[in-house]
Short mmCIF file of all heavy atoms in Angstrom, two decimals:
data_model
loop_
_atom_site.label_atom_id
_atom_site.label_comp_id
_atom_site.label_asym_id
_atom_site.label_seq_id
_atom_site.Cartn_x
_atom_site.Cartn_y
_atom_site.Cartn_z
N GLU D 88 9.99 -17.25 11.23
CA GLU D 88 11.05 -16.80 10.33
C GLU D 88 10.67 -17.13 8.88
O GLU D 88 10.22 -18.24 8.59
CB GLU D 88 12.37 -17.46 10.67
CG GLU D 88 13.54 -16.94 9.83
CD GLU D 88 14.85 -17.64 10.15
OE1 GLU D 88 14.95 -18.86 9.89
OE2 GLU D 88 15.75 -16.98 10.68
N SER D 89 10.85 -16.18 7.99
CA SER D 89 10.54 -16.38 6.58
C SER D 89 11.75 -16.99 5.87
O SER D 89 12.82 -17.18 6.45
CB SER D 89 10.15 -15.06 5.92
OG SER D 89 11.30 -14.25 5.74
N SER D 90 11.58 -17.25 4.58
CA SER D 90 12.69 -17.72 3.75
C SER D 90 13.34 -16.57 2.99
O SER D 90 14.22 -16.79 2.16
CB SER D 90 12.19 -18.77 2.75
OG SER D 90 11.29 -18.18 1.82
N ILE D 91 12.93 -15.35 3.28
CA ILE D 91 13.37 -14.18 2.53
C ILE D 91 14.59 -13.56 3.21
O ILE D 91 14.50 -13.09 4.35
CB ILE D 91 12.23 -13.14 2.43
CG1 ILE D 91 10.97 -13.81 1.85
CG2 ILE D 91 12.66 -11.96 1.60
CD1 ILE D 91 9.76 -12.90 1.83
N PRO D 92 15.74 -13.53 2.54
CA PRO D 92 16.95 -12.96 3.16
C PRO D 92 16.79 -11.46 3.40
O PRO D 92 16.30 -10.72 2.54
CB PRO D 92 18.04 -13.24 2.13
CG PRO D 92 17.50 -14.33 1.26
CD PRO D 92 16.03 -14.11 1.22
N ARG D 93 17.24 -11.07 4.58
CA ARG D 93 17.24 -9.64 4.92
C ARG D 93 18.61 -9.02 4.66
O ARG D 93 18.72 -7.88 4.25
CB ARG D 93 16.85 -9.49 6.39
CG ARG D 93 16.75 -8.07 6.88
CD ARG D 93 16.17 -8.06 8.28
NE ARG D 93 15.98 -6.72 8.80
CZ ARG D 93 15.34 -6.44 9.92
NH1 ARG D 93 14.80 -7.42 10.63
NH2 ARG D 93 15.21 -5.20 10.32
N ASP D 94 19.65 -9.79 4.94
CA ASP D 94 21.02 -9.41 4.62
C ASP D 94 21.81 -10.70 4.42
O ASP D 94 21.22 -11.76 4.16
CB ASP D 94 21.63 -8.52 5.72
CG ASP D 94 21.43 -9.11 7.12
OD1 ASP D 94 21.58 -10.34 7.27
OD2 ASP D 94 21.14 -8.34 8.05
N GLY D 95 23.12 -10.63 4.57
CA GLY D 95 23.93 -11.81 4.31
C GLY D 95 23.77 -12.92 5.31
O GLY D 95 24.12 -14.07 5.01
N SER D 96 23.24 -12.63 6.50
CA SER D 96 23.18 -13.65 7.55
C SER D 96 21.80 -13.78 8.21
O SER D 96 21.59 -14.73 8.96
CB SER D 96 24.22 -13.35 8.64
OG SER D 96 24.02 -12.04 9.17
N ASN D 97 20.89 -12.89 7.96
CA ASN D 97 19.59 -12.91 8.63
C ASN D 97 18.46 -12.95 7.61
O ASN D 97 18.62 -12.53 6.46
CB ASN D 97 19.41 -11.67 9.53
CG ASN D 97 20.45 -11.62 10.62
OD1 ASN D 97 20.61 -12.55 11.39
ND2 ASN D 97 21.18 -10.50 10.69
N LYS D 98 17.31 -13.44 8.08
CA LYS D 98 16.10 -13.46 7.28
C LYS D 98 15.01 -12.65 7.98
O LYS D 98 15.07 -12.41 9.18
CB LYS D 98 15.63 -14.91 7.06
CG LYS D 98 16.62 -15.75 6.26
CD LYS D 98 16.12 -17.17 6.06
CE LYS D 98 17.09 -17.99 5.24
NZ LYS D 98 16.65 -19.39 5.05
N TRP D 99 14.01 -12.26 7.20
CA TRP D 99 12.91 -11.48 7.76
C TRP D 99 12.02 -12.37 8.63
O TRP D 99 11.82 -13.55 8.34
CB TRP D 99 12.06 -10.89 6.63
CG TRP D 99 12.70 -9.72 5.94
CD1 TRP D 99 13.49 -9.76 4.85
CD2 TRP D 99 12.60 -8.35 6.32
NE1 TRP D 99 13.90 -8.49 4.50
CE2 TRP D 99 13.36 -7.61 5.39
CE3 TRP D 99 11.95 -7.67 7.35
CZ2 TRP D 99 13.49 -6.22 5.46
CZ3 TRP D 99 12.07 -6.29 7.40
CH2 TRP D 99 12.82 -5.58 6.47
N ASP D 100 11.51 -11.78 9.70
CA ASP D 100 10.55 -12.46 10.57
C ASP D 100 9.16 -11.90 10.31
O ASP D 100 8.98 -10.68 10.21
CB ASP D 100 10.90 -12.26 12.05
CG ASP D 100 12.14 -13.04 12.45
OD1 ASP D 100 12.42 -14.08 11.82
OD2 ASP D 100 12.85 -12.61 13.39
N TYR D 101 8.19 -12.79 10.23
CA TYR D 101 6.81 -12.36 10.08
C TYR D 101 6.27 -11.91 11.44
O TYR D 101 6.71 -12.39 12.48
CB TYR D 101 5.95 -13.49 9.52
CG TYR D 101 6.24 -13.82 8.09
CD1 TYR D 101 6.66 -15.10 7.71
CD2 TYR D 101 6.12 -12.86 7.09
CE1 TYR D 101 6.93 -15.41 6.39
CE2 TYR D 101 6.39 -13.16 5.76
CZ TYR D 101 6.80 -14.43 5.42
OH TYR D 101 7.07 -14.72 4.11
N PRO D 102 5.29 -10.99 11.45
CA PRO D 102 4.71 -10.56 12.73
C PRO D 102 3.95 -11.70 13.38
O PRO D 102 3.41 -12.58 12.71
CB PRO D 102 3.78 -9.41 12.33
CG PRO D 102 3.46 -9.67 10.89
CD PRO D 102 4.67 -10.30 10.29
N SER D 103 3.92 -11.67 14.69
CA SER D 103 3.13 -12.65 15.43
C SER D 103 1.65 -12.33 15.27
O SER D 103 1.28 -11.21 14.89
CB SER D 103 3.51 -12.62 16.91
OG SER D 103 3.08 -11.40 17.50
N PRO D 104 0.76 -13.28 15.56
CA PRO D 104 -0.67 -12.97 15.50
C PRO D 104 -1.06 -11.78 16.37
O PRO D 104 -1.92 -10.99 15.99
CB PRO D 104 -1.33 -14.27 15.96
CG PRO D 104 -0.37 -15.33 15.54
CD PRO D 104 1.00 -14.74 15.76
N GLN D 105 -0.41 -11.64 17.54
CA GLN D 105 -0.73 -10.51 18.41
C GLN D 105 -0.30 -9.20 17.75
O GLN D 105 -1.03 -8.21 17.78
CB GLN D 105 -0.05 -10.67 19.76
CG GLN D 105 -0.35 -9.55 20.75
CD GLN D 105 -1.83 -9.48 21.11
OE1 GLN D 105 -2.37 -10.40 21.71
NE2 GLN D 105 -2.49 -8.37 20.77
N GLN D 106 0.89 -9.16 17.17
CA GLN D 106 1.34 -7.96 16.47
C GLN D 106 0.45 -7.65 15.27
O GLN D 106 0.16 -6.49 14.98
CB GLN D 106 2.79 -8.13 16.04
CG GLN D 106 3.79 -8.12 17.19
CD GLN D 106 5.20 -8.36 16.69
OE1 GLN D 106 5.45 -9.30 15.93
NE2 GLN D 106 6.13 -7.53 17.12
N PHE D 107 0.05 -8.70 14.55
CA PHE D 107 -0.82 -8.52 13.40
C PHE D 107 -2.15 -7.91 13.82
O PHE D 107 -2.66 -7.00 13.17
CB PHE D 107 -1.04 -9.89 12.72
CG PHE D 107 -1.58 -9.81 11.34
CD1 PHE D 107 -0.73 -9.73 10.24
CD2 PHE D 107 -2.95 -9.82 11.10
CE1 PHE D 107 -1.23 -9.67 8.94
CE2 PHE D 107 -3.45 -9.76 9.81
CZ PHE D 107 -2.58 -9.68 8.74
N TYR D 108 -2.68 -8.41 14.92
CA TYR D 108 -3.96 -7.88 15.41
C TYR D 108 -3.79 -6.42 15.87
O TYR D 108 -4.65 -5.57 15.61
CB TYR D 108 -4.48 -8.74 16.56
CG TYR D 108 -5.80 -8.27 17.11
CD1 TYR D 108 -6.98 -8.44 16.41
CD2 TYR D 108 -5.87 -7.66 18.37
CE1 TYR D 108 -8.19 -8.01 16.91
CE2 TYR D 108 -7.07 -7.23 18.88
CZ TYR D 108 -8.23 -7.40 18.15
OH TYR D 108 -9.44 -6.96 18.67
N ASN D 109 -2.68 -6.12 16.53
CA ASN D 109 -2.43 -4.74 16.95
C ASN D 109 -2.34 -3.80 15.76
O ASN D 109 -2.78 -2.65 15.82
CB ASN D 109 -1.15 -4.67 17.78
CG ASN D 109 -1.30 -5.29 19.15
OD1 ASN D 109 -2.41 -5.47 19.65
ND2 ASN D 109 -0.19 -5.65 19.78
N ALA D 110 -1.77 -4.30 14.64
CA ALA D 110 -1.69 -3.48 13.44
C ALA D 110 -3.09 -3.21 12.88
O ALA D 110 -3.39 -2.10 12.42
CB ALA D 110 -0.82 -4.16 12.40
N LEU D 111 -3.96 -4.22 12.92
CA LEU D 111 -5.33 -4.03 12.43
C LEU D 111 -6.08 -3.03 13.30
O LEU D 111 -6.83 -2.18 12.80
CB LEU D 111 -6.07 -5.37 12.41
CG LEU D 111 -5.51 -6.44 11.46
CD1 LEU D 111 -6.28 -7.75 11.63
CD2 LEU D 111 -5.58 -5.97 10.02
N VAL D 112 -5.88 -3.13 14.61
CA VAL D 112 -6.54 -2.19 15.53
C VAL D 112 -6.04 -0.78 15.28
O VAL D 112 -6.82 0.19 15.28
CB VAL D 112 -6.29 -2.63 16.99
CG1 VAL D 112 -6.79 -1.56 17.96
CG2 VAL D 112 -6.98 -3.96 17.28
N ARG D 113 -4.73 -0.64 15.04
CA ARG D 113 -4.16 0.68 14.81
C ARG D 113 -4.75 1.32 13.56
O ARG D 113 -4.95 2.53 13.50
CB ARG D 113 -2.63 0.57 14.68
CG ARG D 113 -1.92 1.90 14.46
CD ARG D 113 -0.43 1.67 14.32
NE ARG D 113 -0.13 0.83 13.19
CZ ARG D 113 0.01 1.29 11.94
NH1 ARG D 113 -0.16 2.57 11.69
NH2 ARG D 113 0.30 0.47 10.96
N LYS D 114 -5.05 0.50 12.55
CA LYS D 114 -5.63 1.02 11.31
C LYS D 114 -7.14 1.19 11.40
O LYS D 114 -7.76 1.71 10.46
CB LYS D 114 -5.30 0.07 10.15
CG LYS D 114 -3.82 0.00 9.82
CD LYS D 114 -3.56 -0.99 8.70
CE LYS D 114 -2.08 -1.07 8.37
NZ LYS D 114 -1.81 -2.05 7.28
N GLY D 115 -7.73 0.75 12.51
CA GLY D 115 -9.17 0.89 12.67
C GLY D 115 -9.98 -0.18 11.96
O GLY D 115 -11.17 0.02 11.72
N TRP D 116 -9.36 -1.31 11.61
CA TRP D 116 -10.07 -2.38 10.94
C TRP D 116 -10.60 -3.37 11.96
O TRP D 116 -9.84 -3.92 12.77
CB TRP D 116 -9.15 -3.11 9.96
CG TRP D 116 -8.66 -2.24 8.84
CD1 TRP D 116 -9.10 -0.99 8.54
CD2 TRP D 116 -7.65 -2.56 7.89
NE1 TRP D 116 -8.43 -0.50 7.45
CE2 TRP D 116 -7.54 -1.43 7.03
CE3 TRP D 116 -6.84 -3.67 7.67
CZ2 TRP D 116 -6.62 -1.40 5.97
CZ3 TRP D 116 -5.94 -3.63 6.62
CH2 TRP D 116 -5.84 -2.51 5.79
N GLU D 117 -11.90 -3.59 11.93
CA GLU D 117 -12.52 -4.54 12.85
C GLU D 117 -12.35 -5.96 12.31
O GLU D 117 -12.78 -6.27 11.21
CB GLU D 117 -14.00 -4.21 13.04
CG GLU D 117 -14.24 -2.85 13.69
CD GLU D 117 -15.71 -2.60 13.94
OE1 GLU D 117 -16.52 -3.53 13.69
OE2 GLU D 117 -16.06 -1.49 14.38
N THR D 118 -11.71 -6.81 13.08
CA THR D 118 -11.43 -8.18 12.66
C THR D 118 -11.74 -9.11 13.82
O THR D 118 -11.28 -8.88 14.95
CB THR D 118 -9.95 -8.34 12.27
OG1 THR D 118 -9.63 -7.39 11.24
CG2 THR D 118 -9.67 -9.74 11.76
N PRO D 119 -12.52 -10.17 13.60
CA PRO D 119 -12.77 -11.14 14.67
C PRO D 119 -11.45 -11.74 15.15
O PRO D 119 -10.62 -12.19 14.34
CB PRO D 119 -13.66 -12.19 13.99
CG PRO D 119 -14.30 -11.46 12.84
CD PRO D 119 -13.28 -10.48 12.37
N GLU D 120 -11.25 -11.76 16.43
CA GLU D 120 -9.98 -12.22 16.99
C GLU D 120 -9.71 -13.68 16.66
O GLU D 120 -8.55 -14.08 16.48
CB GLU D 120 -9.98 -12.00 18.50
CG GLU D 120 -10.12 -10.54 18.89
CD GLU D 120 -10.36 -10.35 20.37
OE1 GLU D 120 -10.04 -11.27 21.15
OE2 GLU D 120 -10.88 -9.28 20.76
N GLU D 121 -10.76 -14.48 16.53
CA GLU D 121 -10.56 -15.90 16.26
C GLU D 121 -10.07 -16.16 14.84
O GLU D 121 -9.65 -17.29 14.52
CB GLU D 121 -11.86 -16.68 16.51
CG GLU D 121 -13.03 -16.27 15.64
CD GLU D 121 -13.85 -15.14 16.23
OE1 GLU D 121 -13.35 -14.47 17.16
OE2 GLU D 121 -14.98 -14.92 15.75
N HIS D 122 -10.11 -15.16 13.97
CA HIS D 122 -9.67 -15.33 12.59
C HIS D 122 -8.26 -14.81 12.35
O HIS D 122 -7.73 -14.95 11.24
CB HIS D 122 -10.62 -14.61 11.62
CG HIS D 122 -12.00 -15.18 11.63
ND1 HIS D 122 -13.09 -14.50 11.08
CD2 HIS D 122 -12.50 -16.35 12.10
CE1 HIS D 122 -14.18 -15.24 11.23
NE2 HIS D 122 -13.84 -16.36 11.85
N VAL D 123 -7.65 -14.22 13.36
CA VAL D 123 -6.36 -13.55 13.16
C VAL D 123 -5.27 -14.55 12.80
O VAL D 123 -4.46 -14.30 11.89
CB VAL D 123 -5.98 -12.75 14.42
CG1 VAL D 123 -4.55 -12.22 14.31
CG2 VAL D 123 -6.94 -11.58 14.62
N GLU D 124 -5.22 -15.68 13.46
CA GLU D 124 -4.16 -16.65 13.18
C GLU D 124 -4.25 -17.16 11.74
O GLU D 124 -3.22 -17.34 11.07
CB GLU D 124 -4.24 -17.81 14.17
CG GLU D 124 -3.88 -17.41 15.60
CD GLU D 124 -3.77 -18.61 16.52
OE1 GLU D 124 -2.91 -19.48 16.28
OE2 GLU D 124 -4.56 -18.69 17.48
N THR D 125 -5.45 -17.38 11.24
CA THR D 125 -5.61 -17.80 9.84
C THR D 125 -5.16 -16.70 8.90
O THR D 125 -4.52 -16.96 7.86
CB THR D 125 -7.07 -18.16 9.55
OG1 THR D 125 -7.47 -19.22 10.43
CG2 THR D 125 -7.25 -18.60 8.12
N MET D 126 -5.48 -15.45 9.23
CA MET D 126 -5.05 -14.33 8.40
C MET D 126 -3.53 -14.22 8.35
O MET D 126 -2.95 -13.92 7.29
CB MET D 126 -5.66 -13.02 8.93
CG MET D 126 -7.16 -12.95 8.83
SD MET D 126 -7.82 -11.41 9.53
CE MET D 126 -7.11 -10.21 8.42
N VAL D 127 -2.87 -14.50 9.47
CA VAL D 127 -1.41 -14.45 9.50
C VAL D 127 -0.83 -15.55 8.60
O VAL D 127 0.14 -15.33 7.87
CB VAL D 127 -0.89 -14.58 10.94
CG1 VAL D 127 0.62 -14.76 10.97
CG2 VAL D 127 -1.28 -13.36 11.76
#
Side-chain angles (χ1 to χ4, degrees):
E88 185 182 66
S89 74
S90 66
I91 306 175
R93 182 172 183 171
D94 50 40
S96 57
N97 298 305
K98 296 181 179 179
W99 285 91
D100 289 332
Y101 290 121
S103 69
Q105 181 63 64
Q106 290 177 311
F107 196 89
Y108 181 72
N109 288 341
L111 297 176
V112 171
R113 181 181 61 85
K114 294 178 180 179
W116 296 351
E117 296 183 5
T118 304
E120 298 170 21
E121 62 272 15
H122 296 165
V123 171
E124 292 188 61
T125 301
M126 294 178 65
V127 171

